[in-house]
Each structure stands twice: as C-alpha cells, then as structure tokens.
Amino acid sequence: MAECVFCRIVAKQIPASVVHEDEHTLAFMDLGQVNPGHVLVAAKAHAENLYALDDTQAAAVFRAAAKVARAVRDAFSPEGLSVYQANGKAAGQTVFHFHLHLVPRHDNDGMNLTWPVKNPPRERLEEAAAKLRARLR
Ligand SMILES: [Zn+2]
C-alpha cells in the first residue's frame, strides 16, 4: 500500500523513532506522545485492522506489545499503562493500518475513556455469548 503512512514507515520511506523491530512487527514512538514513552506497535505487513490480522501477525503483535510495555515500564516508571487499539472510524481509528498504542499513564494525566456500562440482564449476556460461540466453531 504505497499511500499508507505506516507501510511507508515500515519501508523506511518516512522516518520514525523505532524502538523494536522483528519479522512481523515494528514499534515506534507515537508523534503525539500523550505521555512520555507513548509507543505504537504496528504489524509490518499491511492489515487494515484487527479483523485482518492472520494468527501469526496477531501473536507477533501482542508478543511485541508485552516486550515493549516492559521496556516502557522500566524506562519511564509510569503509574500505569493503557493499551489502546481502535478498529474503524466509529472506534476512533485514524490510520487504517493495524497498530496498538502503549500509553504510559499517571493519575490525572488528562486521558479519559468514558465507559457507559449498561448492565444488561444475564439472559442478554447468554444470548450474546451463544451468538459468538456459533461463529467461533
Ligand atoms: Zn499499511
């Protein structure tokens, strides 16, 4: 995908501050830096989102995320760390090449995610679980 900004970063056509690279992933500093140590972990091969990752990519991305997260913890000593990953415009995805954010967190750092729980009855949860199990067979 020649016009994809992350493909161009992977191809080294656009500079990035790389922190980790392996066969399937590239981790680099997010330009926006919500907090110091904010890193993106991207699949090297173009995949638009989580749905498009194959099993090898999915495993590699999370293996790299855990490894880089430990480095972020050791280097920046955040009080916490959020993993953020968006799929589709409605979810807030802005670069349509799979990546996840490792965001070091501190009390009152201004990053907020509203979590509007609906607490449906157990029967609704069972219906939803059955729907998903049918698609996971
Ligand atoms: Zn791409």
Side-chain angles (χ1 to χ4, degrees), residues 4 7 46 97:
C4 170
C7 281
H46 184 86
H97 177 131

Side-chain angles (χ1 to χ4, degrees), residues 6 10 20 25-26 48 50 55 80-82 90 109 120 130 132 134 136:
F6 283 6
V10 168
H20 174 77
T25 69
L26 185 72
E48 182 172 323
L50 181 62
D55 289 352
L81 181 120
S82 292
D109 65 6
L132 294 173
L136 290 166

Side-chain angles (χ1 to χ4, degrees), residues 1 4-8 43-47 96-98:
M1 305 274 303
C4 170
V5 66
F6 283 6
C7 281
R8 294 187 66 202
K44 273 190 174 172
H46 184 86
F96 292 87
H97 177 131
F98 177 90

Side-chain angles (χ1 to χ4, degrees), residues 88 92 129 135:
R135 286 161 176 80

Side-chain angles (χ1 to χ4, degrees), residues 13-60:
Q13 294 167 350
I14 295 177
S17 298
V18 172
V19 298
H20 174 77
E21 181 168 10
D22 61 38
E23 186 183 353
H24 300 288
T25 69
L26 185 72
F28 50 96
M29 303 310 291
D30 186 295
L31 288 176
Q33 293 294 292
V34 166
N35 283 317
H38 178 178
V39 174
L40 302 180
V41 179
K44 273 190 174 172
H46 184 86
E48 182 172 323
N49 51 37
L50 181 62
Y51 311 123
L53 294 181
D54 65 25
D55 289 352
T56 300
Q57 289 174 301

Side-chain angles (χ1 to χ4, degrees), residues 28-112:
F28 50 96
M29 303 310 291
D30 186 295
L31 288 176
Q33 293 294 292
V34 166
N35 283 317
H38 178 178
V39 174
L40 302 180
V41 179
K44 273 190 174 172
H46 184 86
E48 182 172 323
N49 51 37
L50 181 62
Y51 311 123
L53 294 181
D54 65 25
D55 289 352
T56 300
Q57 289 174 301
V61 162
F62 222 78
R63 189 169 40 248
K67 187 176 194 160
V68 174
R70 289 188 288 268
V72 169
R73 178 195 61 195
D74 295 349
F76 294 92
S77 304
E79 296 167 71
L81 181 120
S82 292
V83 177
Y84 186 76
Q85 199 275 317
N87 301 284
K89 265 187 192 156
Q93 185 176 13
T94 57
V95 177
F96 292 87
H97 177 131
F98 177 90
H99 62 286
L100 60 80
H101 293 255
L102 299 174
V103 185
R105 299 299 308 279
H106 304 276
D107 281 335
N108 303 311
D109 65 6
M111 184 170 166
N112 291 305

